[in-house]
Amino acid sequence: MHALAGAIALAALAPGAEGFMSSGALSSPATSWRTTPVRRGRSLAAASVEVSEVKKCLSREYTSFFTPMETEFYEQDVTFVDPLSTLVGIDKYENNVDLLAGRTPLGSFLFSDASILLHSVDETGPNQLRTRWTLRMTISGLPWKPTARFTGVSDYTLSAASGKIARQQDYWDSVNLEGGRYGAKDLISGIKDFVAQVKPADDAASALGMELPSILLRRGIGYDVRRYPRCRVARTPYTNRPEGFDKLGSYASGENKASIKIQPLAPSLVIAEKKEGGKKTMEWPLFFLMDGTDEAAEIEKSAQAAPEPNAESISLEMASYDTMAVLTFSDAATAEAVAYYHQKLMDKCVEDGLTPADECAEKIIFAQYDPIFALKAKRNEVWVPLKAHDWM
């Protein structure tokens, strides 16, 4: 994770960097300036540390983006390895983290809004820890200022003698995860993935409006895993998609008890039974609820965002999408294409050790981010709800 900074710095400053012609809520960005690390009172010469202390240290470091890096929990000759580079020595590691966090003059030019969302810290064996994380940063040193996102795990080996961190091996989901297992890959694989993250991308913003927010849990090979909040939706049955768009569009345009126009969130979601002649419903998210929000109170408070519909065929419901595997495609969203990509995503989930919900055997969830008759390349997705995964 951290050795990534040096490789990005080289890419941004190298001649012809413009040839690198490159998507949740995360923890707060680390933007403070630091030249001398602040210590927490433990002597750097402390003889040994407990595993529980190392776990707490990692939680603090990830949350604060290593402000400070608690070097007393690391061996002086600690080794760090990720898909792009290898570092040996605590000073090189700390300098690299400061660069990525923008705490050096070069780093403040190259990077901004760097943050890590820590999902878990687990003991995986004697003197072994694994963290699971999402890393996000803006490459401000490139003219188009791309935002790069990486997800993966860090495997820590602790010294048998001192309990301190002796080695950190980082694996990216988008490079190292295959068949549910993490393994080393060649440097070219890491470079290709990095370039794909920072090259200018086509405008993928939804033409339907602001998107339903999510937390990126995995940016895998060919798919993502995201966590969505609970939300209030307008839902209607339909026979063909233009009919569904027409009914919900009329509701949003003022055909409701308040006679007001509202702006739903993207995407437009279709839930279709697989069986021949099966039921199909379309739903548009209207607003979402933060964790811990009182549902009844929020519904009452948000009446203007979700007024009661005039049409009896439209209902207002609460939807809990929770943890979803997601595959994006730009093909025309025919029934055959949606079914193909749904099965492809199902197979990928099983291959990587994720368990689709039982309902996936009977239903398909399809997300559309553009008007149905849009002429530009469309952004379509199939969603597979997960009942067992690595972020329980």
Side-chain angles (χ1 to χ4, degrees), residues 84-140:
L84 289 180
S85 52
T86 298
L87 299 174
V88 179
I90 198 166
D91 290 340
K92 290 183 179 179
Y93 175 89
E94 189 168 18
N95 289 339
N96 214 46
V97 171
D98 285 344
L99 176 71
L100 183 59
R103 293 191 288 256
T104 68
L106 177 59
S108 66
F109 168 73
L110 290 175
F111 308 110
S112 60
D113 300 330
S115 60
I116 309 172
L117 179 61
L118 177 64
H119 303 300
S120 60
V121 185
D122 300 308
E123 295 183 45
T124 54
N127 300 315
Q128 299 289 326
L129 295 176
R130 169 172 284 185
T131 59
R132 192 174 295 277
W133 42 263
T134 298
L135 169 66
R136 169 183 172 162
M137 59 193 165
T138 298
I139 317 299
S140 51

Side-chain angles (χ1 to χ4, degrees), residues 139-313:
I139 317 299
S140 51
L142 294 176
W144 53 95
K145 301 186 186 305
T147 295
R149 296 174 176 85
F150 300 86
T151 66
V153 300
S154 295
D155 285 342
Y156 294 88
T157 301
L158 309 183
S159 166
S162 68
K164 298 180 181 182
I165 297 170
R167 179 182 175 85
Q168 177 182 333
Q169 173 81 54
D170 283 6
Y171 297 109
W172 299 352
D173 293 330
S174 52
V175 172
N176 304 106
L177 180 61
E178 192 169 0
R181 296 180 178 274
Y182 291 99
K185 291 293 181 70
D186 58 36
L187 176 63
I188 297 300
S189 298
I191 292 174
K192 287 181 177 179
D193 184 75
F194 168 66
V195 170
Q197 281 278 285
V198 302
K199 68 181 182 181
D202 295 333
D203 182 10
S206 171
L208 294 180
M210 182 182 297
E211 293 184 21
L212 183 66
S214 65
I215 295 174
L216 178 66
L217 302 176
R218 170 175 291 169
R219 187 177 70 87
I221 301 176
Y223 72 102
D224 292 342
V225 178
R226 306 176 195 153
R227 177 163 290 147
Y228 287 93
R230 291 174 299 147
C231 58
R232 188 75 162 167
V233 302
R235 180 178 295 160
T236 188
Y238 74 93
T239 303
N240 56 66
R241 253 182 289 154
E243 175 196 356
F245 270 93
D246 182 63
K247 291 200 292 186
L248 293 180
S250 295
Y251 163 74
S253 296
E255 289 295 321
N256 51 66
K257 300 298 185 184
S259 298
I260 59 175
K261 293 184 178 182
I262 58 175
Q263 179 60 63
L265 301 170
S268 171
L269 288 154
V270 166
I271 297 90
E273 294 181 349
K274 291 183 177 181
K275 65 183 181 181
E276 186 70 25
K279 295 179 181 178
K280 293 181 287 188
T281 60
M282 181 177 291
E283 56 192 47
W284 288 4
L286 303 176
F287 64 85
F288 61 92
L289 281 64
M290 304 298 291
D291 287 345
T293 301
D294 180 86
E295 186 173 300
E298 187 64 24
I299 289 174
E300 182 177 354
K301 185 177 71 174
S302 303
Q304 291 294 301
E308 289 295 323
N310 290 335
E312 294 183 358
S313 61

Side-chain angles (χ1 to χ4, degrees), residues 40-89:
R40 289 186 171 268
R42 174 184 288 275
S43 168
L44 292 179
S48 62
V49 295
E50 299 295 327
V51 173
S52 60
E53 293 181 278
V54 177
K55 292 172 69 175
K56 291 176 182 177
C57 161
L58 292 173
S59 294
R60 291 191 298 266
E61 287 183 327
Y62 279 58
T63 300
S64 69
F65 209 88
F66 296 82
T67 309
M69 177 182 173
E70 301 180 36
T71 54
E72 60 268 36
F73 288 93
Y74 296 80
E75 294 289 347
Q76 290 298 307
D77 60 350
V78 63
T79 299
F80 300 88
V81 181
D82 77 0
L84 289 180
S85 52
T86 298
L87 299 174
V88 179

